[in-house]
Amino acid sequence: GADALMLSAETASGDYPLEAASIMSRIIARGDDVDALVAAARAAAERAFVACLVAFTTTGGTARRLARERALQPVLALTPHLSVARRLALVWGLEPRVGADPASLEDMTDEAVDLAARLGLARSGERVLILAGTPFGAPGAANLLRLAHAPRV
């Protein structure tokens, strides 16, 4: 994450200073939206007695933001890219795994709860909070929180 965004002199005095400032404003707003969703996920996890959190992430950004919140529950980070999973292995509190981009919300939910149960992060019937973005595979699109239950065995 960043604490500030700076408009350079070249951009500010170029041919399109208003457009440049407008785009930067949208970037800042988008970052605030994702941060708000991540904070909401952590708050929901505390209040809903969640066993673990699952972040579907393409670039690793969503999972890193979730790890930054220092949730008490384990965080499973699912990504379709081995290189991203390797980088996420160095982030505090994350349990990264490689998995395919889900084809639907149902596939996403099934993959999250099944893997959480297989890894021992959620027992039968326990709640799992899923953070993802639609459309699937689009970087920076975290816009979905879903509460599901680990499969009963």
Side-chain angles (χ1 to χ4, degrees):
D3 294 323
L5 193 59
M6 188 175 103
L7 186 62
S8 69
E10 293 84 14
T11 307
S13 63
D15 292 335
Y16 305 99
L18 293 176
E19 290 82 355
S22 173
I23 289 171
M24 289 182 73
S25 176
R26 288 197 318 243
I27 291 169
I28 291 167
R30 177 68 186 158
D32 288 345
D33 289 348
V34 173
D35 285 341
L37 186 68
V38 167
R42 183 178 188 276
E46 289 176 358
R47 289 175 182 83
F49 303 105
V50 170
C52 76
L53 296 110
V54 179
F56 280 86
T57 183
T58 302
T59 63
T62 299
R64 282 191 304 274
R65 283 181 163 142
L66 195 53
R68 189 175 62 202
E69 291 290 320
R70 300 287 200 247
L72 297 175
Q73 300 84 352
V75 179
L76 178 58
L78 296 176
T79 178
H81 306 291
L82 180 59
S83 61
V84 172
R86 287 179 174 160
R87 284 193 308 269
L88 291 177
L90 300 174
V91 178
W92 181 92
L94 292 182
E95 183 72 36
R97 292 291 187 272
V98 176
D101 273 329
S104 66
L105 286 174
E106 189 67 31
D107 286 347
M108 176 200 69
T109 303
D110 290 345
E111 183 177 355
V113 297
D114 289 344
L115 188 54
R118 275 188 311 203
L119 293 173
L121 301 176
R123 292 188 303 256
S124 177
E126 287 186 320
R127 292 180 180 136
V128 175
L129 186 66
I130 304 164
L131 177 63
T134 56
F136 297 116
N143 57 11
L144 171 75
L145 280 179
R146 185 165 219 190
L147 191 60
H149 291 87
R152 298 208 183 265
V153 287

